[in-house]
Structures are given as C-alpha cells and as structure tokens.
C-alpha cells in the first residue's frame, strides 16, 4: 500500500416530468421523461422516456369497470457506482505508483498460511507475475433497461381482484469488467464454440469497466388479491426466461475479445417463483402473517478450474467429450465433460469438441413457510384517521412488476394493526423456514481434477472418476456439483441456519 487514502467525489442528479391525461371515462394515458446525470463517467446525459395506458374494457352507464387493459414502456438506468470508481483511484493504471499494488501469480512455488513477507516481484519468477490495474472505458454508457409490459386487471368478485402481465426487458450497455491485457488472446472459434489452441496468461491485468453487455428477459406474472374485514390474501406466480452475456459489473468475460461466447442463461434466470401470503387481524391488536414460497433452482456455471483463454481468470468451461471413455472426462448428469480439452495433458482431438453453454447447471429448488406475529400497543393522544402501522412490500424479478408500470404492484396486506394513537410500540416475532427445510444454494461448479491416492479423499464420488493421459486415476474436486452453503434471499434473511427466529421492537412517534 503506497497511499492508504483514496478520495472520490460523486454527483448523481435527476430531473423528471410526468403527466396523466384522462382522454375519456375509460381511457387514461400517462407519459413522462426522466433525465439523469453523474460526474464519474463520460456519459452525462441519460434520457428515459416512459409511457403507460389503462383502458376499461367494460363498465360505463354508471357501472364500475371490472376489466382493465394496461400497457407500458419505459427506460430505466443503473448508475455507475462509486465503489468501482474508487478501484480506479486505488489501482490507477496511469501512474507509476498506484495507491495499492495487486498481483496475480501463476503457479507459485510457495504457500504458507502464516506468511508475513509481502508478496511482490521477488516472491516468484518475474514471468509468472501480473500486476493488476483498474480503469474506466472512455466509451462507457450508463446501463439501460428497456422494458415493455401488457396486462389485464380483472375483478373476479366484490373483494377479489387479479392481474396477469407479460413483460419483456432488453438490457443494453450492461456493465462488465474486461481484461485489456488478454485482448490479443483469441483461441475460441465463435462459429463452432470450440477451443483453437492454447494461449498464455497476460503479463499484466488491465481491468477496464465497460458497458458492452446485453440481456433479454421475458416474464409472465400472475397475481390475485382478496380483501376481507380481518383477512387479506395475496398470491403471486411468475415464469421467467432470461439470457445474457454479462452478469454485472464484477463479471469477467471468458474471452476478452468476444462477449458472445458467454451468451447464455442469466444468473437471475429462475424459471418459476410462487408466493402466497395472508394477513389476519386478530383480537387484542394481534396480527398473524403466514407466508409460503417456492422457487425453481438458480443457474450455475460449470468451469474447469483452469485458465484456458488467457484472461488470468479460472472461469473457462469444459467441452462435451467425444467419448465418455476419453481421459480427463468427467461423467455428470449434464453429459460427459472434457475437463482438459487443451494444454498439457489434453485429450487428443479435444479442440474439435464444443464448449458447454454458460450456466449449464441448475441448482436445487427452494421452498418454505414463514410466519410473522405482531402486537401493537398505542398510547398518547388519539389522532383522527390514524393508521400507525403499515405493510412491507416485496419486489420480484427485474421487470416492470417491480417498477409499478404493469398494474400488478401494490400493497399485499397490512402487517401491523392500526392504532389511532400518536405513539405506538410494535412487538413482533418473525420466523423463517418454520419447517426447517434445508434450502441449498447453487452447487460448486468447478471440476478441478486432482490425482487420486489412498490418502486422497477427493475421490468420494464414483460418478466423477476419470483417467488421465498418464494412466493415473483422477477425479473431480470433492465438492464438485455439491452445494456448500444455504440459499439466501429475501425470505431467508440470513444463511447461518435453516430456521431462524427474530424478535423486533419498534417505536413510532
């Protein structure tokens, strides 16, 4: 560390105009535009047009409409974060002495968990060390989500409403981190998705924040609301299909010169989500809020554990083996995978094998039951129309359902009782995963072949045994295709255990 202090000054500002036009008693048209700017990148003008409409398909002549058609289209931006900007200050490429120095050392000849000697150019051979710098592309744009939706609201009964919406989102200028030092390495044929030849890792890592990624997502969202005097029910289901060639600003492309090699399932491509929530207003100002949820598994990437594309990251994917009897081939439920298709010890003819798709794997499904119980105590003077309490909403997915333009957003029930007092004390207990079901995160997708021996416990899965070209028995890493942690997310609140119980006390005044 040459300089322990890094400074940044960020300005993020926005202006917007919006208007609602009631064309007639059945038709409402809304339009607007938002302008955003920030000072830490060269893109200072982000214009976001937005339109939406609502048209009653029935009603009139004094009758209330029961069926409403809704549609909307809008642009939404994700600003460039100051944390990434600070990396360019700490690891500045344009100065001879950056604030901090970071190195990638390939195949180091040392390992000591108690090492106190700094790792620098004298720690290994100079050819194996790659210093790391960070920079921002001069052509970077603010990430833009262009979203469109069309849906139907329908009143099924006096106290029951429903909605079904189709959403399509296309993301452009999506963020990623590319290694400019790896740009000369082009060893993947994008037409056949095969490795061409071996390449060497770069002598320096110039990590540049760029915005050349894209994603496309289609969603179908269905909701049902039921409102009664002391009971509120809310149900939600969504089907999603999303593909992308980047997964956020910390994503490093497998091939620096061709993002399309990684175009496949997006990290947020969870196909099915279901939720049903009830809030029950009981005597003595008690509120019960049970909730049941379920979701499909999250996608995960399968990698070799080797740098096959010369980007100094070990995110290269294996290939589909021409034969399951080939050396270095791992048998999985996704097919027989060649873990070393190129380089030393590679299978002859491995370069003709097709690279597996990005995020080929799918993790385990998750489900559970949560419960919240609250008691509200009011004191102080009475207030007119007082409703000291509230609800906690939740947003799902990345579409307009979370933006409020599709018509399916809104309150899902009051989680606390209403008390017409100036001061309220709310005591609550919230339990997650009451059935103690083990919701696992996506498995470890790194193959990581290791040589087997009588003392090596890595070969504990017979499905992943293989034979190398040297005749030794090898196997995939011990935790390959096994979950090593619990699933997180909104409904888990923490990943330290299956079932959790929280106690809360809130004073409103």
């Amino acid at each position: 560390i040459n300089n322990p202090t890094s400074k940044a000054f960020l300005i993020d500002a926005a202006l917007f105009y919006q208007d609602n036009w009631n064309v007639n008693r059945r038709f409402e048209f809304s339009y607007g535009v938002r302008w955003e700017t920030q000072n830490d990148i060269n893109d200072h003008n982000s214009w976001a047009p937005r339109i939406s409409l609502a048209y009653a398909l029935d009603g009139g002549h004094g009758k209330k409409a029961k069926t409403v058609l809704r549609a909307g289209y809008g642009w939404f931006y994700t600003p460039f974060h100051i944390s990434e900007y600070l990396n360019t200050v700490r690891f500045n490429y344009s100065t001879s002495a950056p604030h901090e120095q970071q190195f990638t050392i390939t195949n180091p000849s040392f390992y000591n968990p108690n090492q106190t000697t700094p790792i620098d150019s004298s720690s290994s051979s100079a050819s194996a060390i790659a210093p790391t710098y960070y920079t921002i592309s001069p052509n970077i744009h603010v990430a833009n989500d262009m979203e469109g939706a069309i849906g139907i609201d329908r009143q099924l009964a006096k106290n029951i409403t429903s909605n079904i919406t189709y959403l399509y989102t296309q993301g452009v200028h999506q963020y990623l981190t590319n290694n400019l030092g790896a740009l000369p390495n082009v060893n993947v044929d994008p037409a056949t998705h095969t490795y061409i030849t071996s390449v060497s890792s770069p002598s320096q890592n110039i990590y540049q924040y760029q915005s050349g990624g894209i994603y496309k997502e289609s969603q179908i969202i269905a909701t049902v609301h039921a409102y009664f005097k002391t009971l509120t029910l809310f149900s939600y289901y969504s089907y999603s299909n999303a593909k992308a060639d980047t997964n956020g600003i910390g994503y490093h492309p497998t091939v620096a010169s061709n993002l399309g090699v990684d175009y496949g399932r997006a990290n947020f491509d969870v196909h099915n989500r279901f939720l049903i929530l009830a809030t029950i207003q009981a005597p003595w100002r008690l509120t019960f809020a049970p909730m049941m949820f379920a979701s499909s598994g999250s996608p995960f990437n399968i990698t070799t554990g080797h740098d096959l594309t010369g980007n100094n990251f070990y995110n290269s994917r294996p290939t589909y083996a021409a034969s399951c009897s080939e050396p270095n081939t791992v048998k999985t439920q996704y097919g027989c995978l060649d873990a070393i298709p190129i380089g030393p010890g590679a299978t002859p003819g491995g370069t003709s094998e097709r690279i597996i798709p990005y995020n080929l794997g799918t993790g385990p499904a998750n489900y559970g039951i949560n419960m919240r119980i609250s008691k509200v105590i009011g004191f102080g003077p009475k207030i007119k129309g007082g409703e000291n309490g509230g609800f906690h909403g939740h947003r799902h997915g990345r579409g307009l359902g979370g933006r409020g333009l599709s018509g399916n957003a809104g309150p899902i029930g009051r989680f606390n009782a209403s008390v017409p007092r100036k001061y309220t004390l709310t005591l609550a207990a919230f339990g997650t995963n009451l059935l103690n079901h083990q919701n696992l995160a996506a498995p470890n997708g790194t193959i990581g072949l290791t040589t087997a021996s009588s003392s090596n416990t890595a070969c504990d899965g017979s499905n992943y045994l293989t034979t190398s070209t040297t005749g030794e028995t090898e196997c995939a890493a011990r935790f390959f295709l096994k979950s090593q942690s619990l699933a997180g997310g909104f409904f888990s609140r923490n990943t330290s255990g299956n079932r959790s119980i929280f106690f809360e006390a809130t004073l409103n005044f």
Side-chain angles (χ1 to χ4, degrees), residues 95-116:
T95 62
S96 57
H99 289 200
E100 293 184 34
Q101 290 181 298
Q102 186 179 60
F103 302 95
T104 297
I105 303 179
T106 304
N107 295 325
S109 58
F110 61 88
Y111 174 74
N112 182 357
N114 300 315
Q115 180 159 343
T116 58

Side-chain angles (χ1 to χ4, degrees), residues 214-468:
I214 62 170
Y215 78 88
K216 298 178 181 179
E217 181 183 25
S218 292
Q219 289 179 284
I220 297 177
I221 299 177
T223 61
V224 176
H225 294 73
Y227 302 93
F228 303 97
K229 184 176 181 180
T230 59
L231 172 66
T232 301
L233 292 173
F234 170 78
S235 63
Y236 172 97
Y237 170 78
S238 71
Y239 172 80
S240 174
N241 187 288
K243 292 187 175 182
D245 59 11
T246 179
N247 285 287
I249 194 154
Y251 180 76
H252 294 264
T254 304
V255 179
S257 59
N258 191 338
L259 304 183
V261 173
D262 290 345
Y263 186 76
R265 293 181 63 189
N267 284 359
F268 53 87
D269 182 34
V270 178
H271 287 327
N272 299 282
R273 290 186 175 95
F274 174 75
L275 165 71
I276 184 168
L277 169 69
T279 56
I280 305 168
Q281 302 296 331
W284 303 296
R285 304 196 186 281
L286 286 170
T287 300
F288 296 86
M291 177 179 62
M292 181 179 71
F293 67 91
S295 67
S296 302
S298 301
F300 67 94
N301 200 26
I302 297 178
T303 61
T304 64
H306 300 280
D307 177 18
L308 304 180
T309 58
N311 64 356
N312 252 334
F313 275 87
Y314 300 88
N315 57 355
S316 301
R317 301 189 297 279
T319 59
Y320 287 114
S323 171
C324 292
S325 61
E326 286 184 3
N328 307 318
T329 297
V330 180
K331 299 178 182 179
T332 74
Q333 62 264 45
Y334 305 104
C336 294
L337 309 180
D338 189 347
I340 309 179
I342 58 174
T347 302
T351 54
S352 63
E353 299 170 348
R354 188 173 180 85
I355 302 172
I356 68 171
Y358 182 83
N359 270 347
L360 176 64
T362 301
N366 295 325
Y367 65 88
I369 295 177
N370 299 346
M371 171 70 81
R372 185 179 189 273
I373 303 175
S374 65
K375 162 70 175 177
V376 180
I377 303 172
F379 56 96
K382 290 185 176 181
I383 57 177
K384 294 182 179 180
E387 291 189 353
N388 284 345
F391 63 87
H392 302 280
H394 179 55
R395 296 180 176 181
H396 299 265
R398 298 184 51 158
L400 290 171
R403 307 281 192 176
L405 293 181
S406 66
N408 60 13
I412 58 177
R414 183 167 293 279
F415 281 6
N416 298 324
S418 299
V419 179
R421 295 287 184 174
K422 185 175 182 180
Y423 308 103
T424 59
L425 174 65
T426 303
L427 305 176
F430 181 57
T432 65
N433 196 11
L434 297 180
L435 300 181
N436 207 31
H437 171 68
Q438 190 178 53
N439 286 315
L440 295 174
N444 178 358
T446 302
I447 296 177
L449 287 181
T450 57
T451 302
S453 65
S454 58
S455 60
N456 190 346
T457 59
C459 291
D460 60 355
S462 58
N463 290 334
Y464 309 133
L465 288 175
T466 183
T467 301
S468 71

